[in-house]
Amino acid sequence: QLSKMFMYLVFVIRLYAVYNSTAYRYNPILLIIICVFIILFSLIIMVMVSINVDTLYYGHENGDSQYIVSCGAELDLYILGMIAIFDFGLSLFSMFAFIIPLKKVIKSLNDTDLSPQIKYKLNNLMSIGQKNAILTSTAAITTLFLIGMVGIGYLFLAPLDLVTNMICMVLTTPYYNDYRYYDRICLIPIKCSNYCCNCCCGTQIEEEQLQALKLQAVASK
């Protein structure tokens, strides 16, 4: 739960960093309130889990000795429900918080009266916004997938969500070249994003255009 808390906080901070100096920015006070809610609710869940968790030990008997083979935990259903609702709500928020301003930027690019300088800046903002939207949505979708799988008893899929979230967090940093890592690891989400932009916004995003517009230093600020 602690790692999820920091992941959602990173999403909100990236949302502020990408759009704060633009016309598509969110109210900083609203983002602060969301951060406070994430921290407080996560702490409440962690305290409730620590107090109410029942540890289960699975052992193997060999004569007079018993060896612990594995262990697990059992939580009350209402606590699991709170965790699921928390992750579900914040995953949806994280996705749409990046997608909504990105759609506005793409629609602004369809304006034929834009000067070359403004269009260039919007193209840069679109490239940066699309990258963050893809990484955020990928992490959020795997979390939603995990919630569904846990609901039907497939707990062994939990590491998939953990690994995906870590990769998405790593790719938001400036230490990994986009062309070598992000473009290759996120090839399918990028293709899906380009298709959605063309379908929903009427804008075709060419890969060559995106590659030329990517500013690694700016995207990592």
Side-chain angles (χ1 to χ4, degrees):
Q1 190 63 38
L2 189 62
S3 62
K4 285 287 187 181
M5 180 189 76
F6 283 111
M7 183 185 75
Y8 294 129
L9 290 176
V10 168
F11 288 160
V12 176
I13 294 171
R14 292 296 296 172
L15 188 66
Y16 174 82
V18 172
Y19 293 106
N20 182 56
S21 59
T22 70
Y24 313 100
R25 65 182 179 273
Y26 287 92
N27 189 330
I29 297 179
L30 174 62
L31 296 181
I32 292 174
I33 293 174
I34 293 173
C35 288
V36 172
F37 168 77
I38 292 172
I39 294 173
L40 291 179
F41 199 88
S42 297
L43 292 176
I44 290 173
I45 290 178
M46 286 186 283
V47 170
M48 293 179 65
V49 168
S50 300
I51 294 175
N52 296 282
V53 66
D54 292 326
T55 305
L56 304 177
Y57 297 101
Y58 303 96
H60 172 71
E61 292 187 5
N62 184 8
D64 296 332
S65 302
Q66 183 176 10
Y67 303 94
I68 297 177
V69 178
S70 62
C71 62
E74 189 175 76
L75 290 172
D76 293 334
L77 188 59
Y78 75 92
I79 297 179
L80 295 175
M82 291 176 61
I83 296 174
I85 293 173
F86 176 74
D87 282 334
F88 183 81
L90 284 178
S91 294
L92 291 180
F93 163 78
S94 301
M95 283 194 297
F96 288 105
F98 277 98
I99 292 173
I100 291 173
L102 178 62
K103 291 180 64 176
K104 293 179 180 179
V105 172
I106 294 174
K107 288 182 179 180
S108 297
L109 286 170
N110 293 329
D111 190 348
T112 56
D113 297 330
L114 294 176
S115 65
Q117 293 82 1
I118 294 179
K119 193 168 185 178
Y120 179 76
K121 291 180 180 180
L122 285 176
N123 276 322
N124 289 335
L125 181 60
M126 180 190 69
S127 178
I128 298 169
Q130 187 191 30
K131 175 184 177 181
N132 283 273
I134 288 173
L135 294 174
T136 302
S137 298
T138 301
I141 289 172
T142 58
T143 297
L144 296 176
F145 175 76
L146 174 64
I147 293 174
M149 291 299 99
V150 170
I152 59 178
Y154 292 113
L155 297 176
F156 67 90
L157 292 173
L160 175 64
D161 177 55
L162 178 62
V163 172
T164 303
N165 291 342
M166 289 191 297
I167 292 174
C168 291
M169 292 294 98
V170 166
L171 292 178
T172 61
T173 66
Y175 308 113
Y176 300 91
N177 181 270
D178 281 356
Y179 176 73
R180 293 183 60 187
Y181 298 100
Y182 166 70
D183 289 350
R184 297 178 181 179
I185 295 175
C186 299
L187 178 63
I188 295 178
I190 291 173
K191 294 287 186 181
C192 294
S193 175
N194 291 346
Y195 175 80
C196 291
C197 290
N198 184 36
C199 178
C200 300
C201 304
T203 301
Q204 179 66 41
I205 303 178
E206 299 293 341
E207 292 184 10
E208 293 80 5
Q209 179 189 19
L210 281 175
Q211 192 62 39
L213 291 171
K214 281 176 182 174
L215 302 177
Q216 183 75 20
V218 177
S220 305
K221 287 183 180 180

